[in-house]
Amino acid sequence: MWTSGRMSNAKNLLGLGISLYFWGLMDLTTTVLSGSARPLTEGQEDNLSDKLHQRMKRSWVWNQFFVLEEYTGTDPLYVGKLHSDMDRGDGSIKYILSGEGAGIVFTIDDTTGDIHAIQRLDREERSQYTLRAQALDRRTGRPMEPESEFIIKIQDINDNEPKFLDGPYVASVPEMSPVGTSVIQVTATDADDPTYGNSARVVYSILQGQPYFSVDSRTGLIRTALMNMDREAKEYYEVIIQAKDMGGQLGGLAGTTTVNITLSDVNDNPPRFPQKHYQMSVLESAPVSSTVGRVVAKDLDEGINAEMKYSLVDGDGLDVFDINTDPNYQVGIITVRKPLSFESKKSYTLKVEGANPHLEMRFLNLGPFRDTTTVHISVEDVDEPPVFEPSFYFVEVPEDVEIGTTIQIISAKDPDVANNSIRYSIDRSSDPGRFFYVDITSGALMTARPLDREDVSWHNITVLAMELNNPSQVGSVSVTVKVLDVNDNAPEFARFYEGFVCENAKAGQLIQTVSAIDRDDPQEGQHFYYSLAPEAANNPNFTLRDNQDNTAWILTRRSGFRQHEQNTFYLPILISDNGHPVLSSTGTLTVHVCSCDDDGMVMSCNAEAYVLPVSLSRGALIAILACIFVLLVLVLLILSMRRQRKQPYIIDEEENIHENIVRYDDEGGGEEDTEAFDIAAMWNPREAQLVVKNRQDMLPEIESLSRYVPQACIMDNNVHNYVLAKLYEADMDLWAPPFDSLQTYMFEGNGSVAESLSSLQSVTTDSDQSYDYLTDWGPRFKKLAEMYGATDSSGALW
């Protein structure tokens, strides 16, 4: 029988062994005696007596072995003792240990059966070991007892402190939360045996974070402990939680963790403007949607709770300005809604409101979550270009209007307070044909060339207005001129008409249908009237029928046409329109006499050639050749004379009224010059009616004159008509040099403040200038000194 146990448990083990022994004996006795109630026979009694004195085979009997962990002694730790009741202490029994940790962690004395631990044990690494024991006959090696398993359990000691495996922790809780609001739960684990003692019983406590937070000692749940915690006052909290084992008793091990708690924002702060009055300014030329300024309402909250909505709630500029909210910076941006005018209104006052769009009902008692401020906006004056009234002009002009006729008065004004004078001109890129002219001071738009609807029916010109004191300020307006139709084009054949008539044609036979076209476009539509020209009114061969649909038929009046008598007829036809006045033209219809078959198909339209009965004489032929020769000589002579002739400036030798102006070898006398030209001639109304010869050296520049010469008053229409007529005549002459007969010299000359601008009198004699100083300039200027320097009587240079 196996026995084992620790010294401290020897009494218990001994009692257990005795009990097991008697239980085994009772089982055996019961087995033996359970067969019958009869008295034993003699043989049976002997057999029972032998069995009682004979050792019976039993199993291993012991409790589990226990050994404390973390043994720190120098000697091997005694675990327990194995012993077989067959061991008489003479060393004949050999004990063998096998299984988990045998020979490495645990050893056994093969003679005594003592088991020792030779390594430091840690229950947290392994809590028990399963081993097998065997008793052998040392001499024969025969098992004396059957092999049996036993367990060595590692007994726990408090050698592990609690640990927060998930720490450090991060948590948040809304500000102003009620006391007891849950924040986060922390959990500590202890590696010690929870089933043995209090080594793994953990108790939580707060080391840092009071009085703001508290922790449940049993569950580790952290809660708020102070009311009205304000994020704007303090946002971040560092809380230290301790977990202690042994139920928190003295001597227990402890571990700590950090919990970083942030107060999340709630909308508990109303917005407030730091300024109750803002002063801003904006240029009157600021375009629509441009920024005037910014206002901001401060809100101590953040995120969605700090979002702001700005609006204009009062003031005299609600329809002139607008305000938008910048979602990134939560500022109100004031912008221009309508064009501004310093002259109309110089300042505006706005009342701006800033409000939180997201509210929390529990904080409404803190006051209205909105605030207002006053914004004063001053409009600054800028120099603006002239403004036309109206902003667009539409003019209808008959195409037969006379040159110089005023067709529209263009009006512009300076919108500034100064109200500067305006000078008008035409953007020549919009009027390349120079059909129009605008008076520089009055803005009267006039015709400068004849208008022709059939060439250009619409004119889109741009009139410019420039401030006299600030030429950089230029306004513009579009003027659309529609040229109205006038019956100034006679109708004519739509094409060249050429017909034929058969020799066997009958009277009244249709030989041609004619139609006409007219470049005019009357409002009531075109209607043409056809008739034979007066010289052909009694034509015996053909007649005309007007179909009243803008076409006419040409009919034969007789029959029996003969090619050899006349093979071609020319029939003049008069075409008239329905305009006012009526215009007409004559077109000619060519009619050939042709040979036709019986079906009227043309066979031949060529007349037979007739041979002259008498040939030309030699004298007639010579006379014809002589005439041809004389004509050739005359042509060559005329061409030669035209090449050698020099064209004069004035085509007519007659003195022109402006001849004294076209002189380039002298200059004007300035304000004292009264003889340069006689301006009175230009004021003579009769002069405008004269036919002026074309000059080939003049081309007027009306615009250049009007741009630089200030005009104190407006000339009357006679003078304008005269000047524009001259302009038109010069434009029509393609061979004319630049025209400067209207050039003025009143700003130059001896009498002028600027004195003479000419270099004609700059030539002086040698006596006026001495170059003797050139000799002092050294060898480099010797050549110049020889050319200009003075010489002595001996000829040597000084």
Side-chain angles (χ1 to χ4, degrees):
M1 176 179 178
W2 284 102
T3 60
S4 62
R6 286 185 175 181
M7 297 297 294
S8 59
N9 296 327
K11 187 178 295 183
N12 295 333
L13 294 177
L14 179 60
L16 177 63
I18 295 173
S19 300
L20 292 175
Y21 175 80
F22 280 106
W23 275 109
L25 182 59
M26 289 177 63
D27 290 341
L28 177 60
T29 307
T30 302
T31 302
V32 173
L33 298 178
S34 61
S36 158
R38 297 190 303 270
L40 297 176
T41 62
E42 183 179 357
Q44 290 175 339
E45 292 178 355
D46 294 337
N47 189 19
L48 177 61
S49 178
D50 292 338
K51 288 183 177 182
L52 290 175
H53 289 88
Q54 183 179 0
R55 186 188 67 83
M56 298 181 64
K57 183 177 181 180
R58 299 176 179 88
S59 300
W60 298 88
V61 179
W62 57 74
N63 286 335
Q64 298 182 89
F65 290 115
F66 293 90
V67 61
L68 289 175
E69 64 173 337
E70 305 295 343
Y71 172 70
T72 58
T74 58
D75 296 333
L77 177 63
Y78 179 75
V79 177
K81 183 181 183 65
L82 297 180
H83 184 73
S84 174
D85 56 359
M86 297 184 65
D87 186 4
R88 295 181 177 82
D90 56 0
S92 61
I93 301 298
K94 180 179 181 180
Y95 298 96
I96 297 176
L97 188 65
S98 63
E100 297 175 346
I104 301 174
V105 180
F106 302 100
T107 60
I108 188 170
D109 189 326
D110 60 354
T111 302
T112 64
D114 293 334
I115 301 174
H116 291 82
I118 60 176
Q119 288 188 6
R120 184 176 179 179
L121 302 176
D122 189 353
R123 189 200 67 81
E124 287 71 38
E125 292 182 2
R126 188 159 187 173
S127 60
Q128 66 180 20
Y129 294 85
T130 302
L131 296 102
R132 294 183 297 278
Q134 192 173 21
L136 303 177
D137 188 323
R138 188 180 296 275
R139 294 190 302 274
T140 62
R142 182 173 61 85
M144 301 299 294
E145 296 280 357
E147 186 180 57
S148 181
E149 285 186 350
F150 64 94
I151 297 174
I152 299 178
K153 285 192 174 182
I154 310 300
Q155 190 173 2
D156 182 54
I157 64 174
N158 190 20
D159 61 341
N160 290 279
E161 73 277 4
K163 294 182 179 180
F164 294 91
L165 301 180
D166 298 329
Y169 296 86
V170 176
S172 66
V173 62
E175 62 174 331
M176 298 295 179
S177 295
V179 174
T181 302
S182 298
V183 180
I184 191 174
Q185 184 174 10
V186 296
T187 302
T189 58
D190 195 320
D192 294 325
D193 188 0
T195 63
Y196 179 76
N198 295 327
S199 298
R201 182 186 172 194
V202 177
V203 174
Y204 299 94
S205 62
I206 184 168
L207 300 183
Q208 177 180 312
Q210 294 176 333
Y212 306 104
F213 299 96
S214 63
V215 63
D216 188 295
S217 61
R218 185 176 58 84
T219 62
L221 180 62
I222 300 175
R223 294 185 174 92
T224 58
L226 190 66
M227 64 183 303
N228 297 330
M229 286 193 293
D230 192 359
R231 184 196 66 85
E232 288 72 34
K234 185 176 181 180
E235 184 176 3
Y236 300 101
Y237 295 85
E238 185 178 74
V239 178
I240 298 177
I241 301 298
Q242 175 184 268
K244 190 174 184 181
D245 58 12
M246 298 296 293
Q249 298 177 4
L250 186 65
L253 302 180
T256 60
T257 188
T258 300
V259 182
N260 296 309
I261 302 176
T262 303
L263 295 184
S264 60
D265 186 64
V266 297
N267 192 9
D268 59 338
N269 291 279
R272 292 292 178 262
F273 282 101
Q275 297 177 231
K276 287 303 179 181
H277 297 278
Y278 286 85
Q279 186 66 41
M280 301 178 183
S281 62
V282 60
L283 296 176
E284 64 172 333
S285 60
V288 175
S289 299
S290 60
T291 299
V292 177
R294 292 173 170 81
V295 296
V296 58
K298 299 294 185 179
D299 193 328
L300 298 178
D301 298 320
E302 64 180 8
I304 191 174
N305 299 313
E307 288 186 4
M308 204 70 59
K309 177 65 176 178
Y310 295 92
S311 59
L312 301 178
V313 295
D314 197 6
D316 57 358
L318 297 180
D319 59 337
V320 181
F321 299 95
D322 201 356
I323 189 168
N324 299 306
T325 303
D326 185 345
N328 297 322
Y329 300 98
Q330 301 301 323
V331 299
I333 303 174
I334 300 176
T335 58
V336 178
R337 186 175 182 181
K338 281 185 177 181
L340 303 173
S341 175
F342 173 82
E343 293 71 27
S344 300
K345 191 171 177 60
K346 298 179 176 58
S347 65
Y348 296 89
T349 301
L350 299 174
K351 189 174 183 181
V352 179
E353 180 185 79
N356 288 142
H358 305 286
L359 303 178
E360 292 192 29
M361 302 303 295
R362 61 192 180 107
F363 297 118
L364 292 181
N365 60 333
L366 299 178
F369 281 76
R370 62 185 67 242
D371 195 16
T372 59
T373 185
T374 303
V375 180
H376 299 282
I377 301 176
S378 300
V379 181
E380 296 183 359
D381 187 28
V382 296
D383 192 3
E384 298 174 283
V387 178
F388 285 90
E389 295 179 357
S391 60
F392 175 79
Y393 288 91
F394 176 76
V395 184
E396 292 182 336
V397 181
E399 61 178 324
D400 61 348
V401 66
E402 294 184 2
I403 296 176
T405 302
T406 299
I407 62 174
Q408 181 68 46
I409 300 297
I410 307 299
S411 176
K413 69 175 184 179
D414 184 6
D416 301 317
V417 176
N419 196 14
N420 295 317
S421 299
I422 305 297
R423 293 294 179 262
Y424 299 93
S425 63
I426 294 178
D427 185 356
R428 285 305 172 191
S429 63
S430 65
D431 184 26
R434 296 178 180 264
F435 288 96
F436 301 95
Y437 166 75
V438 66
D439 186 82
I440 191 172
T441 56
S442 66
L445 183 63
M446 297 171 283
T447 57
R449 291 182 57 186
L451 303 178
D452 190 354
R453 187 202 66 85
E454 287 70 39
D455 289 339
V456 182
S457 59
W458 292 85
H459 297 269
N460 294 304
I461 63 175
T462 301
V463 177
L464 306 177
M466 178 185 68
E467 289 185 14
L468 184 61
N469 296 335
N470 188 0
S472 63
Q473 296 297 330
V474 180
S476 63
V477 68
S478 296
V479 181
T480 299
V481 180
K482 179 181 180 182
V483 181
L484 301 178
D485 184 52
V486 174
N487 192 28
D488 58 348
N489 292 278
E492 57 187 12
F493 277 146
R495 59 182 178 85
F496 174 73
Y497 287 103
E498 187 176 22
F500 68 93
V501 60
C502 295
E503 290 181 316
N504 57 356
K506 306 297 183 187
Q509 183 175 340
L510 175 63
I511 63 172
Q512 185 66 51
T513 301
V514 296
S515 62
I517 58 174
D518 193 334
R519 296 180 64 192
D520 295 322
D521 187 17
Q523 294 182 355
E524 61 272 12
Q526 296 282 7
H527 187 73
F528 304 120
Y529 303 95
Y530 301 90
S531 63
L532 293 178
E535 63 270 20
N538 298 322
N539 188 291
N541 302 307
F542 303 97
T543 184
L544 181 144
R545 178 187 298 174
D546 192 341
N547 297 323
Q548 300 299 319
D549 61 353
N550 291 339
T551 64
W553 287 351
I554 309 301
L555 307 172
T556 57
R557 179 170 284 185
R558 66 178 178 87
S559 61
F561 294 89
R562 297 292 182 265
Q563 283 188 359
H564 65 275
E565 293 178 359
Q566 185 175 353
N567 64 345
T568 303
F569 294 90
Y570 298 97
L571 185 64
I573 300 175
L574 182 64
I575 312 170
S576 302
D577 59 17
N578 61 333
H580 303 283
V582 176
L583 298 180
S584 62
S585 66
T586 302
T588 302
L589 172 64
T590 302
V591 181
H592 299 281
V593 179
C594 302
S595 298
C596 302
D597 56 14
D598 295 338
D599 296 329
M601 300 299 294
V602 176
M603 298 175 58
S604 173
C605 292
N606 295 327
E608 297 179 358
Y610 293 92
V611 181
L612 293 175
V614 179
S615 61
L616 292 175
S617 63
R618 182 176 296 178
L621 183 58
I622 292 174
I624 293 174
L625 293 177
C627 292
I628 295 174
F629 177 77
V630 172
L631 289 175
L632 290 175
V633 171
L634 289 175
V635 172
L636 293 175
L637 181 60
I638 292 172
L639 293 176
S640 176
M641 290 178 65
R642 294 185 67 178
R643 288 183 180 179
Q644 295 177 2
R645 183 174 60 182
K646 182 179 180 181
Q647 296 288 342
Y649 284 120
I650 306 300
I651 298 177
D652 191 352
E653 293 181 358
E654 211 172 307
E655 184 180 0
N656 188 280
I657 191 171
H658 304 298
E659 182 181 9
N660 61 334
I661 298 176
V662 188
R663 297 181 60 189
Y664 299 94
D665 59 348
D666 65 349
E667 60 180 327
E671 290 83 65
E672 297 177 358
D673 188 358
T674 60
E675 298 179 357
F677 60 91
D678 186 7
I679 193 61
M682 299 183 62
W683 291 86
N684 188 356
R686 294 190 300 273
E687 181 65 22
Q689 306 299 329
L690 297 177
V691 179
V692 182
K693 305 293 186 189
N694 289 336
R695 290 189 51 162
Q696 299 182 3
D697 64 334
M698 295 184 253
L699 182 62
E701 283 294 333
I702 301 301
E703 184 180 2
S704 63
L705 174 64
S706 63
R707 183 177 298 174
Y708 298 105
V709 179
Q711 300 180 8
C713 62
I714 305 172
M715 297 182 181
D716 59 11
N717 286 335
N718 291 332
V719 176
H720 278 297
N721 294 343
Y722 170 76
V723 173
L724 295 175
K726 291 293 185 181
L727 172 62
Y728 175 63
E729 291 174 2
D731 287 345
M732 293 297 99
D733 189 356
L734 301 179
W735 302 98
F739 183 94
D740 70 341
S741 62
L742 296 181
Q743 187 58 267
T744 177
Y745 298 94
M746 64 184 297
F747 299 112
E748 179 188 3
N750 295 329
S752 174
V753 178
E755 297 184 352
S756 176
L757 303 180
S758 174
S759 61
L760 297 177
Q761 298 178 359
S762 62
V763 180
T764 59
T765 61
D766 293 339
S767 61
D768 296 334
Q769 178 68 44
S770 175
Y771 297 94
D772 294 343
Y773 59 88
L774 294 174
T775 59
D776 299 330
W777 286 10
R780 284 185 161 183
F781 300 89
K782 181 179 180 182
K783 190 65 176 177
L784 287 176
E786 291 176 358
M787 297 174 61
Y788 296 95
T791 59
D792 59 1
S793 58
S794 63
L797 292 170
W798 291 97

